[in-house]
Amino acid sequence: MLSSVITSGAILAMLQVLPAVAMPTIANRDASPIPGYGIEELIWEVETTPGGPTVNIAGTVQDVYEQLEKVNPNFVSDFGLDDPDNSTSLAAPVESRAYYIEAIHCDYFEYATASAIREGIKYLNGVPGKPSNGPGPGNCGRVSCSYNSAIYWCNDNTYTKTLDAFGSISLAAQTLLDRCGSSGLWYAEVARGQIFMTDRWNVIVRKDKC
C-alpha cells in the first residue's frame, strides 16, 4: 500500500453533480471504453447566477462552462471564478479531508496529452461543490475531456459515493501526471494510468475521443 495522501481544500457550492443512481448494466459495460466499467454521463445542476435559477447540463466540466457562457456570458466574473482570492460566501466552505492512495498503475490505457489533462485539472479546481457518483462497483463518469485526453472518476462502492470537493478528483489526476507522465525530445509530454483510493474510488487519465 502506498503511504501518499491526497487532500482537498475548501471551496464554494455553486455547482454540484447530481447523484447518478442507475446501476451500470451488462450492455453498457460491454460497450464501455474502459473494460469492466460502466459509463454514465454526469448531470450537473448549475446556478446560472449567484442565488439564481439552476439548469441541468449533461457532459464534462468543459460542457458546463461552454453552456453557462451561452446562458450567462458573465458567469465567470459573477461567481468570482476568475479571481483565485475571491472569498464570496455563496455557501459554507467544504471541510478538507485526506484520501489515501491504495495503488497506482501507470501502464493502463493509451497515452493522453499532459497539457490537455492539466487544462481539465484547472477547470475542475474552479468548480465549487461536491461530486457524487452512483453505486458501483465499476461506475464511472467522464468529468473532463479535451483534445482527446480525458479524466474519469469511478466509484467501486455499492452505494453512491460523494467526495468533499472536485479538487479531490483533480489532485488524483495531478498525481497521475506526476508519477505516470513521460516526455521525450521529439514528442509532447504524455500521461496515462489509474489511481485507486482506499475508500474505493479511483481516477483514470487516458486518451479518449472528444
Side-chain angles (χ1 to χ4, degrees):
M1 180 182 297
L2 302 178
S3 59
S4 302
V5 179
I6 287 183
T7 59
S8 60
I11 54 178
L12 306 173
M14 179 189 78
L15 309 180
Q16 71 179 102
V17 172
L18 300 178
V21 297
M23 182 73 74
T25 64
I26 297 298
N28 68 26
R29 284 180 185 274
D30 290 343
S32 169
I34 305 174
Y37 285 83
I39 307 299
E40 292 182 354
E41 188 171 51
L42 295 179
I43 306 296
W44 309 63
E45 183 180 20
V46 185
E47 283 185 3
T48 58
T49 57
T54 62
V55 295
N56 290 342
I57 300 174
T60 64
V61 66
Q62 288 88 356
D63 296 322
V64 171
Y65 274 67
E66 181 180 353
Q67 292 302 314
L68 275 180
E69 285 180 337
K70 293 178 181 178
V71 176
N72 174 15
N74 299 316
F75 92 95
V76 171
S77 58
D78 284 352
F79 285 99
L81 300 180
D82 54 351
D83 182 3
D85 297 324
N86 188 290
S87 58
T88 182
S89 57
L90 291 174
V94 178
E95 185 176 315
S96 297
R97 159 169 190 190
Y99 295 105
Y100 292 87
I101 300 171
E102 182 175 278
I104 296 176
H105 298 280
C106 295
D107 54 350
Y108 290 1
F109 313 111
E110 292 187 67
Y111 281 109
T113 302
S115 60
I117 297 300
R118 288 194 188 94
E119 179 184 276
I121 288 170
K122 181 179 178 180
Y123 273 111
L124 290 169
N125 281 336
V127 176
K130 293 184 178 183
S132 293
N133 202 342
N139 189 37
C140 299
R142 191 170 74 169
V143 295
S144 173
C145 195
S146 62
Y147 302 101
N148 296 323
S149 300
I151 301 171
Y152 282 86
W153 170 44
C154 305
N155 179 21
D156 288 325
N157 293 282
T158 56
Y159 52 84
T160 295
K161 179 69 175 178
T162 300
L163 302 180
D164 287 339
F166 287 92
S168 302
I169 301 172
S170 64
L171 283 168
Q174 182 63 54
T175 301
L176 287 173
L177 286 184
D178 295 341
R179 302 219 187 161
C180 301
S182 62
S183 61
L185 183 62
W186 304 113
Y187 55 89
E189 186 181 359
V190 293
R192 65 180 180 181
Q194 189 168 11
I195 179 170
F196 294 87
M197 303 301 172
T198 54
D199 50 343
R200 298 183 58 78
W201 60 276
N202 67 86
V203 169
I204 294 168
V205 165
R206 57 162 293 165
K207 182 179 179 180
D208 208 355
K209 278 187 177 182
C210 57

